[in-house]
Amino acid sequence: MNFPINSRVLLAWQQRCQPLSGAHYKAVSCRMWRMSLHYDLHSHSIASDGTLSPVELVTAAHDAGVDVLALTDHDTLDGLLDAARTARALGVQLVPGVEISVSWQSQTIHVLGLGVDPGNETLQAGLAGLREFRHWRAEEIGRRLARAGIGGCYTGARALAKGNIVGRTHFAQYLVAAGHARSVREVFKRFLVNNKPGFVPGQWTSLEAALEWIHTAGGLAVVAHPARYHMTSSKLRRLIAEFRAGGGAGLEVVSGSHSRDNITAMASLCRNENMLASCGSDYHGPQNPWIKLGQLPALPAGCQPVWESDRWPLQ
Ligand code: AMP
Ligand code: MN
Ligand code: MN
Ligand code: MN
């Protein structure tokens, strides 16, 4: 087993597991080992709309005391190789992940694939299709903003993406830098959401396909930041029912973008629906000082963490 080298945790684990022996020792000690680790299962690098390189991201996670980090860039696996190399060198356990954009009942939702095989061709081909749409959409956002009197946005956003996928965050960062708004949040509100000049409806993949790609690649699927979709509770339950029918396993109960109330509500939903619970910061870089790597509240009592389940792909 490929344990991260973290002497503090290793010592605690060894001490706790001392009285056990044989197969029992192995099973219980693995479980206790996993329980004592510090998890952050949702983060972004410059391969999508984060600002740190994968090397910088994993280093920052290590410095923040994260033992197990999932890199989950939007619709790409490009950062995973560099991240895995750095993780190995620093003794961080990297969970190879992805955050897939899905269109479901006229809404965009995000599905995390955790523990996916980056070499899986089905997953790679599916994500390539989404990036093709992203490429067209970025040009279209640029055209629409130009029609609204703001030129140069596509070129500006593309420069910020540094050769990677151009996402809405890059447009937002460019518009702030060019003085059209004071914050990224304000740009989204004024320019990039439904009924605003730079809005282009998402034409992502289906929930069924996203789940199939993740499972074919050996991963476990989690609904990202479920409270962020502002769905009625009956719609959210319909989403979860469909998600579960397609083999989906968990809900991201603790997220950097969930309030305390959101966490309580999602924890109770998670327990009632018998789903596994995940936690991730959704870190995009140090420019958002209110979201830090690994500094997350604990999963509420009664939630079964994804990493304690038999379905966790990284045993
Ligand atoms: P995209 O996948 O290119 O449509 O962009 C979605 C990303 O934009 C999300 O993952 C967030 O990083 C960011 N985002 C979405 N809404 C907002 C918002 N209101 N304020 C700031 N960032 C946002
Ligand atoms: Mn993002
Ligand atoms: Mn997301
Ligand atoms: Mn995310």
Side-chain angles (χ1 to χ4, degrees), residues 42 74 99 110 225 228 282:
H42 187 161
H74 299 284
E99 183 173 16
H110 288 169
H225 41 65
R228 274 254 303 272
D282 206 357

Side-chain angles (χ1 to χ4, degrees), residues 36 40 52 56 97 105 130 161 169 189 194 263 286 305:
S36 62
D40 188 332
L52 299 184
E56 290 167 336
Q105 300 201 348
L130 291 178
T169 306
K189 231 175 168 168
N194 205 358
I263 293 174

Side-chain angles (χ1 to χ4, degrees), residues 194-218:
N194 205 358
N195 295 319
K196 300 296 171 183
F199 178 69
V200 179
Q203 294 163 32
W204 308 112
T205 191
S206 66
L207 182 59
E208 203 185 356
L211 289 168
E212 198 187 314
W213 304 343
I214 291 169
H215 295 140
T216 305

Side-chain angles (χ1 to χ4, degrees), residues 113-251:
L114 299 176
V116 292
D117 170 11
N120 182 273
E121 288 177 8
T122 305
L123 177 62
Q124 285 174 348
L127 299 179
L130 291 178
R131 292 197 299 274
E132 231 167 81
F133 170 68
R134 281 186 171 277
H135 183 71
W136 172 84
R137 183 189 68 157
E139 291 179 337
E140 182 63 15
I141 292 174
R143 284 190 287 270
R144 291 187 189 203
L145 288 172
R147 275 205 293 278
I150 310 171
C153 292
Y154 176 66
T155 310
R158 204 175 64 171
L160 290 169
K162 300 195 173 132
N164 300 288
I165 304 172
V166 184
R168 283 191 296 166
T169 306
H170 302 111
F171 282 93
Q173 287 163 349
Y174 171 75
L175 283 161
V176 171
H180 295 284
R182 273 165 311 187
S183 69
V184 162
R185 194 168 288 232
E186 188 189 326
V187 179
F188 269 88
K189 231 175 168 168
R190 283 179 45 207
F191 299 102
L192 298 177
V193 294
N194 205 358
N195 295 319
K196 300 296 171 183
F199 178 69
V200 179
Q203 294 163 32
W204 308 112
T205 191
S206 66
L207 182 59
E208 203 185 356
L211 289 168
E212 198 187 314
W213 304 343
I214 291 169
H215 295 140
T216 305
L220 182 147
V222 167
V223 179
H225 41 65
R228 274 254 303 272
Y229 309 121
H230 306 294
M231 289 181 186
T232 60
S233 60
S234 61
K235 188 170 181 187
L236 196 48
R237 281 201 303 273
R238 276 205 306 283
L239 170 66
I240 294 168
E242 222 176 281
F243 187 74
R244 198 194 291 105
L251 300 183

Side-chain angles (χ1 to χ4, degrees), residues 42 44 49 72 74 99-101 109-112 224-225 228-229 252 257 282 284:
H42 187 161
H44 297 272
D49 60 356
T72 53
H74 299 284
E99 183 173 16
I100 302 182
S101 309
I109 68 153
H110 288 169
V111 174
L112 297 167
H225 41 65
R228 274 254 303 272
Y229 309 121
E252 194 174 48
S257 59
D282 206 357
H284 281 73

Side-chain angles (χ1 to χ4, degrees), residues 83-107:
R85 274 201 206 109
T86 310
R88 212 171 302 124
L90 295 176
V92 170
Q93 188 177 350
L94 183 83
V95 177
V98 64
E99 183 173 16
I100 302 182
S101 309
V102 166
S103 293
W104 186 78
Q105 300 201 348
S106 322
Q107 250 183 293

